[in-house]
């Protein structure tokens, strides 16, 4: 039976990168993306999300507990 898959607002590639909502809620994600896009206008959305995923991997697989400024700083180093 074909059931359409739900898409995530965090999905950026055809292979569907998914950041669970409990890791980073939508409003925080939106603020983070806006801030990173302002700082790095040359970076695509996909590049920013990839960098965020690296920051998460480097922080034991979680972003919660880090301030938005800390996440922005660490992501900017990667970008």
């Amino acid at each position: 039976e074909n059931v359409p898959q739900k898409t995530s607002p965090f999905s950026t590639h055809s292979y569907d990168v998914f950041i669970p909502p409990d890791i980073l809620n939508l409003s925080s994600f939106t603020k983070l993306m806006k801030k990173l896009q302002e700082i790095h206008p040359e970076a695509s959305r996909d590049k920013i999300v990839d960098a965020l995923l690296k920051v998460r991997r480097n922080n034991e697989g979680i972003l919660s507990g880090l301030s938005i400024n800390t996440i922005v700083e660490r992501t900017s180093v990667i970008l």
Side-chain angles (χ1 to χ4, degrees), residues 1-56:
E1 176 179 324
N2 280 348
V3 177
Q5 263 189 310
K6 291 181 181 177
T7 57
S8 163
F10 305 108
S11 178
T12 59
H13 302 286
S14 57
Y15 55 85
D16 286 337
V17 171
F18 178 73
I19 301 172
D22 60 326
I23 299 294
L24 189 63
N25 70 40
L26 186 57
S27 68
S28 293
F29 180 79
T30 303
K31 287 179 199 171
L32 198 50
M33 286 301 295
K34 184 177 179 183
K35 196 168 213 175
L36 286 165
Q37 287 171 329
E38 288 171 1
I39 296 169
H40 303 283
E42 77 290 350
S44 68
R45 178 180 169 84
D46 287 353
K47 250 188 161 170
I48 292 171
V49 171
D50 286 343
L52 282 167
L53 291 171
K54 286 179 187 172
V55 170
R56 186 177 78 174

Side-chain angles (χ1 to χ4, degrees), residues 21-25 56 59-67 71:
D22 60 326
I23 299 294
L24 189 63
N25 70 40
R56 186 177 78 174
N59 194 56
E60 300 175 12
I62 57 170
L63 290 175
S64 60
L66 295 176
S67 70
I71 296 170

